[in-house]
């Protein structure tokens, strides 16, 4: 009995000490870990806007959001004045090819695909207001389809388990699958990364190995590259889709033709990396009917598209577009690189070439908007990672391309934030209670002009300000070093 009494007295004494400590913190200092951001126009990411807002961040999450006049501010909380600013959620990118590029040197290789380099790319994304990305065609050990392994390591699988300061969250869709040589194009360092399959048996075997890495989805390429290569046939991609769905893994596809779009839609593909019908073909009533029928039957009804029209939109702006002199762009790329990647190619475009680009963009945009009206979701995906596919900056160009094809600025931001976060399964994308405190502070209102998302004042990830000035200084120093070699 005496022992019980002594123990009870100890617990009571300890509880009193905790209460006193808490009271002392409230009265004599700031409430630990609680910050109030107040006064901004808040674009919450779910379609709503709050003028003169306030939101409270605690333990790296939003715990209260509303009008400044309605929120109860905790005593002693740190306060950040955002009067005159606009706040929006961070963006999520569902279509990245990061890790291969040495940005400072302007080179690409498998050897560059290291943890350090992948983190550099994730920090560049964070700098631009991107809080998560799904890597596709990532360098990861896989079956070589001849009974052995590629021995490419597991960097993507390890990095996706980490929460890295000042960096976007990384998720992976793994290596991808394609007919040999018909997968990712561009630099040869990426050309052989995908599972190469030519028979139904190989396709099923590849899926069985693929799912072991627990990808966000299985990426397949169905594109003969204007007749230059063979590509996956309908029996092959149907086998991949069927095998993936047996294991409850979604499939995302890069395809081009209307005929393939219909077959892939009937087979149950969930995601499209690029507009499903492009390069001169138009969406027809039959494809629209297939989309609507899947939704009506609740047959994998959540279908999404990363249109990938930012490059076409950038090319359509003429020989010397204003964005080429954007200070944000020049903070993370050298003038020499920008001239090589974009300045010189744009300057060489003839009026006829520009007119053709604009015509194709209009048709691809029309196709996308018809499919969106039928029920497919537009989400963000930039194809970023190759040399001229500007890491981070392309996300802002993607937003502008959304508006160029007919979406409102508000719709474009919902697509790039809330809807993309839902597909990527990340706790970000809206400024709402319970979400990770990931947001961008802007100097101008993107609802008035979507280009204002580029006027970044600050970026916060998980409630902490990203040190953008220090990051920019580091990258600029790297460019200077690279230019002297």
């Amino acid at each position: 009995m005496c022992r019980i009494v002594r123990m009870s007295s100890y617990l009571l004494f300890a509880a009193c000490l905790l209460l006193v400590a808490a009271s002392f913190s409230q009265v004599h200092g700031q409430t630990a870990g609680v910050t109030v951001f107040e006064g901004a126009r808040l674009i919450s990411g779910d379609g709503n806007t709050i003028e003169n807002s306030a939101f409270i961040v605690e333990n790296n999450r939003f715990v209260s959001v509303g009008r400044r006049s309605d929120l109860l501010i905790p005593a002693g909380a740190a306060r950040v004045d955002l009067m005159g600013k606009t706040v929006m959620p961070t963006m999520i990118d569902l279509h990245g090819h990061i890790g291969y590029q040495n940005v400072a040197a302007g080179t690409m290789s498998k050897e560059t695909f290291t943890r350090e380099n992948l983190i550099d790319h994730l920090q560049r994304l964070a700098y631009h207001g991107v809080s998560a990305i799904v890597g596709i065609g990532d360098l990861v050990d896989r079956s070589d389809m001849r009974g052995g392994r590629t021995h490419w390591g597991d960097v993507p699988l390890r990095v996706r388990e980490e929460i890295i300061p000042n960096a976007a969250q990384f998720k992976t869709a793994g290596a991808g699958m394609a007919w040999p040589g018909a997968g990712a194009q561009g630099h040869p360092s990426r050309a052989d990364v995908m599972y190469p399959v030519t028979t139904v048996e190989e396709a099923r075997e590849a899926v069985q190995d693929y799912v072991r890495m627990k990808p966000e989805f299985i990426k397949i390429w169905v594109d003969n590259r204007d007749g230059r290569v063979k590509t996956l046939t309908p029996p092959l991609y149907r086998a991949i889709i069927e095998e993936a769905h047996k294991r409850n893994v979604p499939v995302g596809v890069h395809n081009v033709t209307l005929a393939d779009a219909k077959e892939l839609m009937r087979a149950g593909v969930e995601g499209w990396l690029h507009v499903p019908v492009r390069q001169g073909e138009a969406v027809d009533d039959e494809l629209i009917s297939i989309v609507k029928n899947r939704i009506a039957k609740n047959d994998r009804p959540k279908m999404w598209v990363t249109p990938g029209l930012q490059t076409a939109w950038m090319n359509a702006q003429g020989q010397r577009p204003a964005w080429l002199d954007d200070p944000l762009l020049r903070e993370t790329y050298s003038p020499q690189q920008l001239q090589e990647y974009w300045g010189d190619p744009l300057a060489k475009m003839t009026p006829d070439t520009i007119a053709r680009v604009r015509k194709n963009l209009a048709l691809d945009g029309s196709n996308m908007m018809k499919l969106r009206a039928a029920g497919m979701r537009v989400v963000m995906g930039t194809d970023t990672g190759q040399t001229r596919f500007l890491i981070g900056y392309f996300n802002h160009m993607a937003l502008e391309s959304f508006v160029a094809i007919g979406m409102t600025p508000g719709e474009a931001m919902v697509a790039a934030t809330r809807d993309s976060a839902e597909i990527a399964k990340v706790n970000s994308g809206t400024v709402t209670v319970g979400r990770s405190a990931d947001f961008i502070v802007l100097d101008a209102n993107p609802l008035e002009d979507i280009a204002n998302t580029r006027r970044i004042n600050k970026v916060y990830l998980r409630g902490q300000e990203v040190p953008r000035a220090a990051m920019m200084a580091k990258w600029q120093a790297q460019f200077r070093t690279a230019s002297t070699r």
Side-chain angles (χ1 to χ4, degrees):
M1 175 65 75
C2 291
R3 184 178 178 184
I4 293 173
V5 170
R6 283 197 299 271
M7 182 61 72
S8 299
S9 299
Y10 173 80
L11 292 173
L12 180 61
F13 178 70
C16 289
L17 283 178
L18 289 172
L19 286 171
V20 170
S23 299
F24 185 88
S25 174
Q26 292 273 344
V27 174
H28 296 282
Q30 293 182 347
T31 303
V34 178
T35 305
V36 181
F37 297 84
E38 50 192 334
R41 172 187 300 104
L42 174 61
I43 302 169
S44 59
D46 56 6
N48 294 314
T49 302
I50 304 173
E51 299 291 342
N52 196 17
S53 71
F55 51 92
I56 301 172
V57 174
E58 183 176 7
N59 295 327
N60 304 329
R61 297 199 178 195
F62 298 113
V63 296
S64 190
V65 180
R67 288 186 56 81
R68 188 179 192 179
S69 58
D70 297 337
L71 245 59
L72 180 64
I73 308 300
R79 302 179 80 145
V80 178
D81 185 0
L82 296 180
M83 284 293 294
K85 306 296 183 186
T86 298
V87 167
M88 66 172 283
T90 51
M91 296 172 280
I92 289 84
D93 194 322
L94 285 153
H95 186 182
H97 298 295
I98 60 175
Y100 295 92
Q101 183 187 2
N102 179 328
V103 176
T107 59
M108 292 185 66
S109 69
K110 285 185 174 66
E111 290 71 27
T112 304
F113 204 111
T114 62
R115 178 180 182 276
E116 180 182 34
N117 195 54
L118 189 54
I119 290 173
D120 176 77
H121 293 183
L122 296 173
Q123 289 176 334
R124 291 173 184 274
L125 289 163
Y127 185 92
H128 289 84
V130 179
S131 58
I133 188 169
V134 178
I136 298 172
D138 293 331
L139 192 69
V140 61
D141 181 52
R142 62 163 173 79
S143 165
D144 65 6
M145 305 309 295
R146 295 188 299 274
R149 309 295 301 177
T150 58
H151 305 297
W152 285 330
D154 63 350
V155 167
L157 307 186
R158 287 187 285 114
V159 172
R160 73 176 175 186
E161 301 299 326
E162 300 183 56
I163 299 297
I164 300 164
N166 309 315
Q169 182 181 352
F170 179 73
K171 306 190 88 174
T172 181
M177 297 176 65
W179 187 276
Q185 304 294 291
H187 196 273
S189 61
R190 303 167 55 236
D192 64 347
V193 169
M194 292 63 62
Y195 287 87
V197 297
T198 59
T199 68
V200 167
E201 292 73 22
E202 283 182 339
R204 294 188 184 279
E205 180 184 337
V207 171
Q208 290 160 18
D209 188 66
Y210 200 142
V211 298
R212 292 167 56 198
M213 66 183 74
K214 299 180 180 177
E216 295 305 310
F217 51 84
I218 288 177
K219 166 72 181 287
I220 62 175
W221 281 259
V222 183
D223 185 352
N224 66 13
R225 308 295 177 177
D226 295 320
R228 290 182 286 107
V229 297
K230 292 184 178 181
T231 190
L232 296 177
T233 60
L236 286 174
Y237 60 67
R238 287 192 200 107
I240 293 168
I241 296 162
E242 180 183 316
E243 201 70 23
H245 287 169
K246 283 181 185 176
R247 291 158 175 79
N248 201 31
V249 178
V251 176
V253 62
H254 162 130
N255 83 280
V256 175
T257 70
L258 176 63
D260 279 324
K262 290 176 181 178
E263 290 302 310
L264 291 159
M265 181 64 68
R266 290 189 182 103
V269 165
E270 290 90 343
W272 271 262
L273 292 308
H274 301 293
V275 180
V277 181
R278 49 201 170 105
Q279 293 186 1
E281 289 196 277
V283 166
D284 65 9
D285 291 341
E286 183 182 13
L287 181 58
I288 295 296
S289 177
I290 298 169
V291 172
K292 290 182 175 180
N293 191 47
R294 266 184 60 175
I295 294 171
K297 290 184 175 180
N298 199 33
D299 176 16
R300 301 182 185 272
K302 192 182 293 183
M303 294 165 281
W304 51 270
V305 184
T306 66
L309 296 175
Q310 62 282 336
T311 305
W313 183 88
M314 293 161 76
N315 283 327
Q317 301 311 296
Q319 295 177 318
R320 188 68 194 183
W323 61 261
L324 195 53
D325 297 308
D326 185 354
L328 176 63
L329 181 56
R330 295 176 177 272
E331 288 167 7
T332 54
Y333 283 87
S334 70
Q336 295 83 0
Q337 287 177 320
L338 295 176
Q339 190 63 31
E340 177 187 348
Y341 300 159
W342 283 97
D344 291 341
L346 287 172
K348 294 175 182 176
M349 293 180 71
T350 66
D352 286 346
T353 302
I354 295 170
R356 186 164 59 251
V357 169
R358 289 174 177 169
K359 180 180 178 181
N360 291 338
L361 175 61
L363 178 56
D364 290 347
S366 173
N367 285 338
M368 185 67 262
M369 293 300 284
K370 288 177 182 177
L371 291 168
R372 179 174 180 266
M376 297 185 79
R377 296 191 192 190
V378 171
V379 292
M380 174 166 280
T382 60
D383 220 358
T384 193
Q386 296 194 78
T387 47
R388 71 192 302 260
F389 287 56
L390 308 167
I391 298 173
Y393 196 80
F394 254 37
N395 296 90
H396 297 274
M397 296 290 99
L399 280 172
E400 295 181 35
S401 74
F402 290 173
V403 173
I405 66 173
M407 297 172 69
T408 69
E411 290 170 341
M413 284 189 281
V414 169
T417 57
R418 183 196 67 185
D419 290 353
S420 294
E422 182 181 344
I423 300 302
K425 300 183 182 69
V426 295
N427 188 34
S428 188
T430 57
V431 181
T432 52
V433 172
R435 293 276 178 154
S436 178
D438 306 328
F439 58 97
I440 313 168
V441 180
L442 302 170
D443 287 329
N445 183 3
L447 293 174
E448 296 175 352
D449 182 351
I450 194 63
N452 286 336
T453 65
R454 294 189 254 139
R455 296 184 60 183
I456 299 173
N457 183 276
K458 297 179 189 297
V459 175
Y460 287 80
L461 291 183
R462 299 170 287 277
Q464 303 299 311
E465 183 181 348
V466 174
R468 298 176 74 248
M471 294 162 81
M472 179 179 68
K474 178 184 75 172
W475 294 325
Q476 293 291 332
Q478 291 173 350
F479 288 133
R480 288 192 295 272
T481 300
S483 66
T484 61
R485 288 176 181 169

